Amino acid sequence: MIAVLKHELRLYFHSLTAYVFGAFLLAFVGIGSMLYNLQAAVSNFEYVLSFGCLVFVVIVPILTMRVMAEERKQKTDQLLYSLPITTTQIVIGKYLSLLAVYLIPLCIICLYPLIFSQFGDVYLLTSYGSIFAFFMMGAALLALGLFISSLTDNQGFAAGIGIAVILLNYYSVSLSEYLSSTSFGSVVAVCIIIFVLGAVVRYLTKSEKLAYGIGFILLMVTAVTYYLKPEKFEGLLPNLMTKLSLFERFYSFVNGVFDMTAITYYVTVAAFFLFLSVQSLEKRRYH
């Protein structure tokens, strides 16, 4: 795992990837600092991070699009499989390298509240709590990007899908206002999600029986629940989109609330997509 970590870090810093990533992140936070803290004379540094959230739409695909896709395209993933390490260690090694590259510009950003506090009153606890949440949210999104990259050997396709998924998550709360809150509309949406889940299971496991079995059970549970208690589905889809939003949970930190449920959610999302990445590589390893 350490060998994979060192190899990935060398690749990032011997190319422009790490530098472009850091430049984008620092540029967004710098612009936000100018607008909120300097020009508007506001002491709340956490507002800068709220503004800077949109940068994840760009920087996460930049950093993750090649991490697995390039290995598959160059066929060098077969060399990884020949090493005396498990697939889990490969994924964790690559993921830790992503976190390291992400953490470097974030350490520079940690100096900003201290600098601003020399010229006014800055709420340091709220600022650093928000920076920590910003790191955790980024860690979850990097795990998502790693998984998307593991599904294809085309870097451009991986980047495009990553941008679309992160944008959808970013605007999910706004979009939820335009979605049907009726029971029937929510049931239709749940059925679509079940079909997508079945397709993902089939792709990762190459087992049609497992995919169809999981899909059938979930559809039956949905149908029975809708028949017995249709009111359970009222407003389900808008609420689901709001609760799944990584960005919406971050705003509680900006408002001065250190939300442990949000941190738990970020860790769970990261672990879930790392698990899916391992399964994706395992499928390729033995097929």
Side-chain angles (χ1 to χ4, degrees):
M1 184 177 72
I2 300 299
V4 174
L5 172 61
K6 291 180 179 179
H7 173 72
E8 290 297 313
L9 288 176
R10 279 196 298 268
L11 286 179
Y12 284 127
F13 287 102
H14 287 173
S15 66
L16 291 175
T17 304
Y19 305 102
V20 171
F21 172 86
F24 264 105
L25 182 56
L26 291 174
F28 259 77
V29 175
I31 293 171
S33 299
M34 181 186 69
L35 293 175
Y36 287 99
N37 295 116
L38 301 180
Q39 185 175 347
V42 176
S43 61
N44 302 78
F45 179 75
E46 55 272 16
Y47 291 167
V48 175
L49 298 180
S50 177
F51 165 81
C53 280
L54 191 59
V55 75
F56 284 119
V57 176
V58 178
I59 63 175
V60 168
I62 285 177
L63 194 59
T64 61
M65 64 181 182
R66 59 150 293 278
V67 64
M68 293 294 189
E70 185 66 12
E71 297 276 9
R72 293 182 63 174
K73 183 178 181 180
Q74 300 295 336
K75 307 299 183 184
T76 53
D77 57 335
Q78 301 302 320
L79 295 176
L80 288 176
Y81 298 146
S82 65
L83 296 175
I85 56 177
T86 64
T87 307
T88 301
Q89 290 174 316
I90 293 173
V91 170
I92 292 177
K94 287 180 174 290
Y95 181 64
L96 289 178
S97 69
L98 293 172
L99 289 183
V101 174
Y102 174 43
L103 194 58
I104 291 172
L106 208 57
C107 288
I108 298 175
I109 291 171
C110 285
L111 298 175
Y112 290 10
L114 293 176
I115 295 173
F116 292 143
S117 67
Q118 302 302 309
F119 304 96
D121 295 326
V122 177
Y123 305 105
L124 292 179
L125 284 177
T126 305
S127 296
Y128 284 106
S130 298
I131 290 174
F132 177 71
F134 193 79
F135 169 74
M136 295 302 298
M137 179 171 61
L141 290 170
L142 288 173
L144 168 63
L146 184 97
F147 169 63
I148 292 173
S149 181
S150 72
L151 298 177
T152 179
D153 59 1
N154 188 315
Q155 291 188 45
F157 181 74
I161 295 298
I163 290 173
V165 171
I166 296 172
L167 265 179
L168 177 62
N169 191 264
Y170 184 82
Y171 289 110
S172 62
V173 176
S174 299
L175 291 173
S176 67
E177 298 176 1
Y178 301 96
L179 296 177
S180 172
S181 59
T182 64
S183 297
F184 180 75
S186 297
V187 167
V188 172
V190 169
C191 290
I192 293 174
I193 294 173
I194 291 172
F195 281 118
V196 172
L197 178 62
V200 172
V201 171
R202 184 179 181 277
Y203 177 83
L204 293 177
T205 64
K206 290 295 183 181
S207 173
E208 292 187 0
K209 291 182 178 179
L210 179 61
Y212 288 142
I214 292 175
F216 178 76
I217 292 172
L218 292 177
L219 286 173
M220 288 299 297
V221 170
T222 302
V224 171
T225 304
Y226 180 68
Y227 178 76
L228 296 176
K229 294 184 177 180
E231 66 276 5
K232 292 274 188 186
F233 289 93
E234 291 181 2
L236 177 64
L237 184 57
N239 290 336
L240 186 63
M241 291 186 68
T242 300
K243 289 186 180 300
L244 290 179
S245 174
L246 293 166
F247 298 91
E248 186 66 19
R249 292 175 181 269
F250 173 72
Y251 297 139
S252 62
F253 293 90
V254 175
N255 293 326
V257 178
F258 193 88
D259 188 358
M260 279 304 300
T261 60
I263 299 299
T264 304
Y265 179 64
Y266 292 145
V267 172
T268 302
V269 169
F272 175 69
F273 283 111
L274 289 178
F275 170 76
L276 291 182
S277 299
V278 171
Q279 298 309 307
S280 179
L281 289 188
E282 285 287 341
K283 179 201 65 125
R284 181 169 173 80
R285 187 173 196 165
Y286 296 109
H287 288 84

